[in-house]
Amino acid sequence: MKKQLIKIWQWIDDRGGVSDLLKPLKTHLVPPNVKWNYVWGSATLFCLLVQIVTGISLGFLYQPSADVAYQSLQYIENDAVLGSFIRGLHNWGASAMIFLMGLHLIRVYINAAYKYPREMSWITGVLLMGLTIIMAFTGQLLRWDNNGVWSAVVAAEQIGRIPIFGDSISYFLLGGKTINGETLNRFFSMHVFLFPAILFMIVSYHVYLVFKNGISEPPKAGRLLNPKTYRKWYQDLLDKKGVPFFPDAIWRDAIFSLFVLVVLLILAFFVGAPALTSPPDLTNVQANPKPDWYFTWIFAIFALMPRQLESYVMFLAPLIGGIFLFSIPFLSNKGERSPLRRPWAIAGVVLVILAIGSLWYVGHQAPWHPRFNAKPLSEYSAVPKASEKVKKGIELYNTEGCLYCHKIGDQGGIRGPELTDVQNRLTKEEMIIRIVNGSENMPAYGGSLSKEELENIVAFLLQDSKSKNYKSKNNVEN
Ligand code: HEC
């Protein structure tokens, strides 16, 4: 029996070339001190595998048609065996992939691993980053709930503002002038056929390049990279001190990927995917879509920017950013690799991270959105011994929507300034002027409030902050 099995194996190996295929793994040498800082790329690849497996599983049940997509997702979420878990994995897998890809990018940049002879690894890496973001973007719409749909549509319509081709691109993406049933089919096709195919090809090439050019050795301050002699120097290093990729280096990748998997399983199981919001209303633009976290910072840029600039920035920022990213290995592909000797390069990274971080924070707060779900102030508890005038003022404050944009105490939106202490800043007349005239971001209430109503609101705002201060626990529910 054993003999038979060995024979079968030998046949498969001889005709199928399995050993030959795996040989590079065993014979491929890597520099000796390639340590834990080198696991980000393989972990990103591992996340891609998770996405493939979970994506295909979701595809078994998902129906890419505008009439039934939402129901099929509800079915996956509520009834299908492991459905909600797998949806959670796919969602967290996407987040993890983007996060780890970012770390991989930062590591490669800080170590200047993009320099000779690995420029092509960098270029394909930038392409892969673009593709991964496109995958996240197209996947969001497949959720086919209000949030997912309108986040994608807002972005697609931003694209429409690109001069000259904008309209055509956006028409192509949406399958029409605005969102419609066909949009879903387009995004589905892009998300499961087109972009994965391109992604797999480039990933394979990216990984092939790692074997062809070797893993970059950790940089050392003062050791300059000379393209003329590098390949020979690197080969000598491997000959003298190299260790086989399998098993000496790959075990770290395996352990870290396992760790990523455990984290993903825990998140998918205990947190799950974002709850589906209501089904999309295609005839009614949703005012307040909340994109997935990796896009909030981009939304923040557009929300904070003066409107007239948006079209240009929409067009120029990705263009300039893309050209800059691609050109990095051409700006400098030799010389110093150590981050200790490249202070400006490192300062640049820190700056970019800080900028994206703060935009992300702002985007998360979404201060430009009125908070339509703000709890109304209660006229009884807010000002216990209030006069009739003040009570009417509180009521108007609720019903006229002031609280969507203004905070009092711990309640309300933050699009406009907090009004808890406004009585110390403004006189009665100044308040009235502001409310009647509005401003760029505040509607003018002159036409909709009577003189008496105005007096009432202002009487309320003029209260000292203590009697205005409103604690949720006293809330007599609306
Ligand atoms: C759509 C959001 C929005 C709504 C709704 C809104 N405001 Fe405002 N409000 C703002 C913004 C933004 C400012 C800051 C305007 C500026 O400084 O140009 C502001 C400014 C003010 C100010 C001046 C505050 C200061 O410190 O200078 C007062 C008072 C005020 N609003 C009262 C009200 C009242 C009362 C209502 C309801 C009747 C209301 N607002 C509704 C957005 C809003």
Side-chain angles (χ1 to χ4, degrees):
M1 183 64 195
K2 197 174 162 204
K3 256 191 193 156
Q4 293 296 340
L5 282 180
I6 291 179
K7 262 198 165 159
I8 294 176
W9 164 245
Q10 280 171 340
W11 186 92
I12 295 177
D13 196 24
D14 182 61
R15 311 298 199 280
V18 182
S19 299
D20 288 352
L21 206 64
L22 295 179
K23 211 161 150 199
L25 275 185
K26 279 208 217 152
T27 53
H28 183 70
L29 296 178
V30 300
N33 34 12
V34 163
K35 291 273 154 69
W36 287 103
N37 201 13
Y38 282 71
V39 298
W40 314 116
S42 63
T44 309
L45 182 61
F46 177 75
C47 288
L48 177 60
L49 295 180
V50 171
Q51 292 311 87
I52 296 171
V53 173
T54 53
I56 292 176
S57 313
L58 290 173
F60 279 176
L61 293 177
Y62 181 73
Q63 305 197 341
S65 154
D67 302 332
V68 286
Y70 186 76
Q71 282 95 313
S72 74
L73 265 170
Q74 294 247 286
Y75 177 76
I76 290 173
E77 190 64 32
N78 300 322
D79 301 316
V81 179
L82 290 181
S84 149
F85 177 66
I86 287 176
R87 210 186 132 230
L89 260 185
H90 198 64
N91 180 68
W92 286 106
S95 289
M97 191 168 162
I98 289 187
F99 182 71
L100 291 165
M101 186 177 63
L103 291 179
H104 179 50
L105 174 89
I106 292 171
R107 199 278 294 167
V108 165
Y109 181 77
I110 287 184
N111 279 353
Y114 54 80
K115 292 194 175 182
Y116 181 90
R118 303 185 179 84
E119 294 97 327
M120 205 54 144
S121 292
W122 175 270
I123 291 170
T124 49
V126 174
L127 288 174
L128 287 172
M129 182 167 75
L131 284 164
T132 307
I133 291 172
I134 289 176
M135 285 300 285
F137 168 66
T138 49
Q140 201 171 270
L141 180 126
L142 299 189
R143 221 180 277 154
W144 208 244
D145 64 356
N146 244 327
N147 237 346
V149 167
W150 287 111
S151 298
V153 171
V154 167
E157 291 189 346
Q158 298 276 21
I159 293 174
R161 305 227 200 122
I162 297 175
I164 309 172
F165 337 95
D167 276 340
S168 323
I169 300 178
S170 141
Y171 194 96
F172 173 73
L173 282 176
L174 295 176
K177 279 213 176 71
T178 64
I179 178 147
N180 61 80
E182 199 171 314
T183 313
L184 178 58
N185 291 59
R186 296 251 159 136
F187 273 60
F188 180 74
S189 200
M190 289 190 271
H191 188 76
V192 304
F193 301 122
L194 176 62
F195 291 117
I198 304 177
L199 190 67
F200 297 161
M201 281 194 292
I202 302 182
V203 164
S204 316
Y205 186 56
H206 193 72
V207 173
Y208 159 77
L209 286 174
V210 174
F211 282 90
K212 175 173 161 26
N213 294 321
I215 293 176
S216 67
E217 76 288 353
K220 199 162 116 191
R223 184 171 66 203
L224 301 185
L225 191 160
N226 180 352
K228 292 212 177 75
T229 56
Y230 180 81
R231 280 201 196 267
K232 184 170 179 315
W233 176 86
Y234 184 76
Q235 195 53 49
D236 286 349
L237 174 79
L238 291 187
D239 289 345
K240 278 195 213 110
K241 298 198 206 143
V243 297
F245 177 63
F246 180 92
D248 288 45
I250 203 175
W251 68 268
R252 281 194 197 81
D253 297 295
I255 288 190
F256 185 69
S257 288
L258 194 68
F259 169 74
V260 170
L261 180 65
V262 170
V263 172
L264 287 179
L265 290 174
I266 291 175
L267 285 170
F269 190 78
F270 289 106
V271 186
L276 297 167
T277 50
S278 49
D281 178 356
L282 302 189
T283 56
N284 195 351
V285 180
Q286 210 216 355
N288 191 6
K290 212 167 150 275
D292 288 335
W293 64 267
Y294 29 81
F295 292 126
T296 31
W297 66 278
I298 302 176
F299 271 57
I301 295 180
F302 287 106
L304 295 175
M305 203 162 39
R307 273 206 159 277
Q308 312 84 280
L309 288 181
E310 274 181 18
S311 310
Y312 303 104
V313 175
M314 182 66 227
F315 171 60
L316 289 175
L319 192 72
I320 294 173
I323 290 176
F324 177 71
L325 271 178
F326 277 119
S327 65
I328 282 177
F330 301 103
L331 294 177
S332 151
N333 77 335
K334 55 178 195 273
E336 193 57 74
R337 277 188 54 210
S338 166
L340 301 173
R341 301 281 171 89
R342 292 159 52 238
W344 286 110
I346 305 310
V349 181
V350 173
L351 214 71
V352 169
I353 294 176
L354 282 180
I356 292 185
S358 31
L359 280 169
W360 185 81
Y361 178 77
V362 171
H364 224 69
Q365 299 262 327
W368 52 87
H369 287 311
R371 293 199 175 150
F372 295 116
N373 55 358
K375 262 199 199 157
L377 304 173
S378 152
E379 67 229 70
Y380 307 107
S381 53
V383 189
K385 282 179 252 119
S387 67
E388 273 313 299
K389 236 177 150 186
V390 169
K391 283 186 179 169
K392 279 197 188 128
I394 301 173
E395 208 177 315
L396 286 164
Y397 190 83
N398 290 332
T399 54
E400 294 296 323
C402 314
L403 84 166
Y404 297 151
C405 298
H406 293 287
K407 219 170 160 173
I408 287 188
D410 56 6
Q411 219 131 345
I414 52 176
R415 181 174 181 152
E418 180 171 344
L419 296 182
T420 317
D421 294 317
V422 68
Q423 71 284 354
N424 302 335
R425 282 197 301 273
L426 301 181
T427 63
K428 184 177 169 185
E429 284 67 37
E430 285 169 326
M431 286 186 203
I432 291 181
I433 289 172
R434 170 61 72 224
I435 298 170
V436 167
N437 295 319
S439 79
E440 196 184 337
N441 290 312
M442 169 166 161
Y445 283 89
S448 60
L449 292 176
S450 69
K451 193 161 178 297
E452 194 196 335
E453 287 172 327
L454 257 176
E455 293 275 337
N456 293 343
I457 291 192
V458 173
F460 165 57
L461 291 180
L462 281 170
Q463 299 282 305
D464 66 80
S465 44
K466 225 192 195 153
S467 44
K468 244 191 254 165
N469 196 0
Y470 172 81
K471 290 275 174 278
S472 316
K473 66 173 159 37
N474 298 338
N475 194 11
V476 179
E477 200 47 60
N478 35 111

